Amino acid sequence: MKMLRFRSPSISSLAQEVRCTVRLLDDSEIACSIQRDTKGQFLLDHVCNHYSLLEKDYFGIRYVDPEKQRHWLDPSKPPYTMCFRVKFYPQEPIKIKEELTRYLLYLQLKRDVYHGRLLCPFTDAAYLGACIVQAELGDYDPEEHPADYISDFKLFPKQSLKLERKIMEIHQNELRGQCPALAELNLLQRAHTLDTYGVDPHPCKDFTGSTAFLGFTARGFVVFQGNKRIHLLKWADVSKFKFEGKTFYVIGVQREKKLVLTFHTSTPAACKHLWKVAVENQAFYKCAKSSQIKTVSSSSIFFKGSRFRYSGRVSKEVIEASSKIQRDPPVVHRSASIYIYPTVSNPHFTHFSLWKDIHMEGENHVLDRAYSPCASMVPTPVEESQGDLDLLFQSPARLLKELHADPEMQLELQAEREREVAREALGQSLCIPSSGRQQMQACLRSAARLVVMATGLLMILLPLLLVLLESDLDVSFLHDIRQTPEFEQFHYEYYCPLRRWFLCKLELMTEQLWGD
């Protein structure tokens, strides 16, 4: 595990420190100590500096609250335990300037394939799988790779024998000779043509009660039912997003007619998160300049609800800035990910959990491979004290055997597990009080807005009512109101008795005061 510890340089060291962990796309981690009032932008900048990443507007940091709701980190608020992920998927990956950015996007798409977010037909799935194998293993070598070498690795949530054979066929024939960078670029080019490219599905119910999944892509707002896309509303046709409680509204235009789509989420927190994601994606992909972005409200003019404004650059600005990058390309450090690790079913790999822990313990056993652009697959040199350590995919059984027999390594792994549990417990202890305070503050703000609006309405309506009831102004619209049966009934049955009672009480109080 890559552990980088740092402190915020701009804040007094007397403030209480918070341990914070960011899990990167290759499943390594950055651990840090920050002050409680450090802003999230500081942490996001640090992760990008760790990668030497310039095209950073496509990425963000995500965390999960105690109710298991995912959120994108607000750069203006303090962070907790988070994951570095692609936030905005480029519409045309070929326009990405640097290989480093393409590699990080490749890692995200590999995760999307493994977790079933990137749905694709059989032919596309086989090609994507072959690109991953070519990028991770290099060219097929019959002396090193057994006949069923693909079966040792988990690429898809449902991986059939037929699919594995097709992946091997493409890997051995079509992709031979491709360096990792080229294989990754081929994956990006194929993946960005799929309907679910860039879709982070948000589960909800439509107006009929059927389960639907909402998403946002570079093209627009999409709705899926099962594996089928049933709606695509392009950004040019999207007018506004709104939410009230657990109800999410999409307002747009389709075939020159106003369109309102209504969906229901499981919780108000999930609905608010969905609304914020929608507003951010609309601003990023639709606006031509960041100066055009406005603060939006979740509800009507009288009840403002939540207010939010996307504060980053937009897609066109990012592409323009990328074209102006003039630095020497940074070295890309590629590492083997657990999403291409051997499956538990293979008899040679019976210690899968240990395998994952070994990968996370990256300080003592270097499993990363460093590449220059389109370089051959050569492992980074290891320390002399480690001896003749074989490459990960050449002899994993031997590596596991040696590490499993090392008692010092076992103690280190156990200590790392304990540290991980302690970090999670600390993160939850920090999140829960903050969440409670935020809910209380939100309730107080809502109550205050309600009182202010009610007071404002009374200040407007009460003088108008007195003018109607007490004045003799002969204005046409006032005369028409006075002639209505409803107004006459209110005047004689309610207002006049109330007025007489009030005047009687006022006289009584006046007599008592003068009598005293």
Side-chain angles (χ1 to χ4, degrees), residues 206-250:
D206 63 12
F207 70 97
T208 66
S210 302
T211 300
F213 296 92
L214 313 186
F216 310 93
T217 71
R219 299 179 64 190
F221 169 73
V222 293
V223 182
F224 286 85
Q225 281 189 341
N227 297 340
K228 183 180 179 181
R229 189 182 72 190
I230 61 172
H231 277 296
L232 169 59
L233 197 60
K234 296 182 178 180
W235 288 121
D237 298 328
V238 176
S239 302
K240 187 177 181 181
F241 296 103
K242 292 172 51 180
F243 84 95
E244 295 177 1
K246 294 192 261 186
T247 307
F248 178 71
Y249 301 95
V250 182

Side-chain angles (χ1 to χ4, degrees), residues 356-426:
K356 179 179 178 180
D357 289 336
I358 290 172
H359 174 70
M360 301 303 289
E361 189 69 25
E363 288 186 6
N364 299 321
H365 296 271
V366 180
L367 302 180
D368 289 353
R369 299 190 295 277
Y371 297 87
S372 297
C374 295
S376 59
M377 191 167 71
V378 179
T380 302
V382 297
E383 299 293 336
E384 293 181 2
S385 60
Q386 294 179 15
D388 185 17
L389 184 62
D390 291 329
L391 197 61
L392 176 63
F393 289 107
Q394 291 178 352
S395 182
R398 175 182 171 185
L399 177 62
L400 279 173
K401 183 177 179 181
E402 291 178 356
L403 295 178
H404 189 62
D406 187 353
E408 294 184 1
M409 175 54 63
Q410 294 300 310
L411 292 175
E412 290 180 8
L413 291 175
Q414 182 62 32
E416 179 60 32
R417 293 190 193 99
E418 293 175 356
R419 287 195 294 271
E420 185 69 25
V421 171
R423 281 196 296 269
E424 293 179 357
L426 179 60

Side-chain angles (χ1 to χ4, degrees), residues 141-156:
D141 188 343
E143 295 183 359
E144 293 185 9
H145 304 133
D148 59 345
Y149 65 100
I150 298 297
S151 63
D152 290 339
F153 306 104
K154 186 69 172 175
L155 303 172
F156 297 89

Side-chain angles (χ1 to χ4, degrees), residues 126-281:
Y127 185 81
L128 297 180
C131 288
I132 294 173
V133 174
Q134 179 68 26
E136 301 282 346
L137 298 184
D139 289 342
Y140 170 73
D141 188 343
E143 295 183 359
E144 293 185 9
H145 304 133
D148 59 345
Y149 65 100
I150 298 297
S151 63
D152 290 339
F153 306 104
K154 186 69 172 175
L155 303 172
F156 297 89
K158 294 181 180 180
Q159 192 165 304
S160 64
L161 183 60
K162 180 181 178 182
L163 179 59
E164 291 175 356
R165 288 173 178 169
K166 187 64 176 177
I167 291 173
M168 288 191 290
E169 178 187 336
I170 298 174
H171 174 230
Q172 295 172 15
N173 300 314
E174 296 183 27
L175 305 182
R176 175 171 291 277
Q178 292 187 6
C179 64
L182 182 55
E184 293 160 4
L185 179 59
N186 287 332
L187 181 141
L188 302 187
Q189 288 294 90
R190 179 64 65 90
H192 95 282
T193 64
L194 301 174
D195 287 343
T196 52
Y197 169 75
V199 174
D200 186 13
H202 298 263
C204 61
K205 302 283 187 181
D206 63 12
F207 70 97
T208 66
S210 302
T211 300
F213 296 92
L214 313 186
F216 310 93
T217 71
R219 299 179 64 190
F221 169 73
V222 293
V223 182
F224 286 85
Q225 281 189 341
N227 297 340
K228 183 180 179 181
R229 189 182 72 190
I230 61 172
H231 277 296
L232 169 59
L233 197 60
K234 296 182 178 180
W235 288 121
D237 298 328
V238 176
S239 302
K240 187 177 181 181
F241 296 103
K242 292 172 51 180
F243 84 95
E244 295 177 1
K246 294 192 261 186
T247 307
F248 178 71
Y249 301 95
V250 182
I251 303 170
V253 178
Q254 195 170 54
R255 297 173 185 174
E256 299 182 353
K257 293 183 179 180
K258 184 177 179 180
L259 175 69
V260 179
L261 299 176
T262 305
F263 302 93
H264 304 281
T265 60
S266 57
T267 64
C271 196
K272 183 176 182 180
H273 170 66
L274 175 60
W275 173 72
K276 292 181 71 173
V277 171
V279 170
E280 288 184 319
N281 277 269

